[in-house]
Structure formats: structure tokens, C-alpha cells
Amino acid sequence: MTVMNEKVHAYKDQISHLEEKLPEVVHAYHRFTGECFQAGSLDAKTKQLIALGIGLFANNEVCTFYHVDEARSKGASDQEIMETIAVAAAVGGGHALSQGVTRVQNALQ
């Protein structure tokens, strides 16, 4: 089992423990996310790539691993996954830059 699989498996194991204590919370979360990831105007692959980009931006290792695997299972190519990384990097850099030129410059005045 790879490190990626171990971490995703550990998450799933831990959520099952939470389900024992708060079953309705876990079931509601799974219903909500399941509905959100259904194909609609955006196909399931695109939704997984978006989730991957957000997981990277949020520095969430488990989500990053999980959504790489899910994106692949929905037909994403390695190139599409790598382009998603580039977009997340651009957004992350843009986020820091936009905050720097607005908040920080205002604080310096």
C-alpha cells in the first residue's frame, strides 16, 4: 500500500469511528458531498479537478491524495491533473499578491 493509499485509508477509518458517535452528521455529510460531486452542468471529472485544486490551496494532504485518485477514476489524464496544479499555484500566488497590494499596502499607510 502506498503512502497515499495509507493516508486515505486512515481518513476513512477515522470517519467510520466518528460515524459510530455521530451517525447523522456523517450521513448528512456524505449525502451532501455525494450530491455535490454528481455530474450536472459540470461533469464529475471537472468537479474532481476543482476539488483537487482546492485541496492543494488548502494544504489538505488527504484531500489532495483522494481527489487525484478520484479524478483519475473519472478519466482525468496526468496532464489534466498537472494543469490543475498549475491553476492552483496561480490562484495561491494571486491570493498572496492581491492581499499584499490591498491589505498590506493599506496597513503601511
Side-chain angles (χ1 to χ4, degrees), residues 10-92:
Y11 163 76
K12 288 180 179 181
D13 184 49
Q14 292 303 314
I15 202 143
S16 70
H17 292 303
L18 178 63
E19 185 176 15
E20 292 170 9
K21 303 218 184 311
L22 299 169
E24 289 306 313
V25 170
V26 173
H27 295 162
Y29 174 76
H30 284 138
R31 282 190 306 272
F32 173 70
T33 58
E35 185 64 30
C36 290
F37 281 93
Q38 290 297 313
S41 295
L42 296 173
D43 62 46
K45 177 181 78 172
T46 300
K47 290 182 177 190
Q48 289 299 328
L49 292 171
I50 290 168
L52 171 59
I54 293 168
L56 287 165
F57 183 78
N59 196 29
N60 186 321
E61 183 179 47
V62 171
C63 278
T64 300
F65 291 153
Y66 179 82
H67 292 293
V68 164
D69 192 48
E70 286 295 306
R72 278 188 163 159
S73 77
K74 304 293 188 257
S77 67
D78 289 354
Q79 185 64 29
E80 289 171 315
I81 290 168
M82 296 306 291
E83 287 183 23
T84 299
I85 292 169
V87 170
V91 170

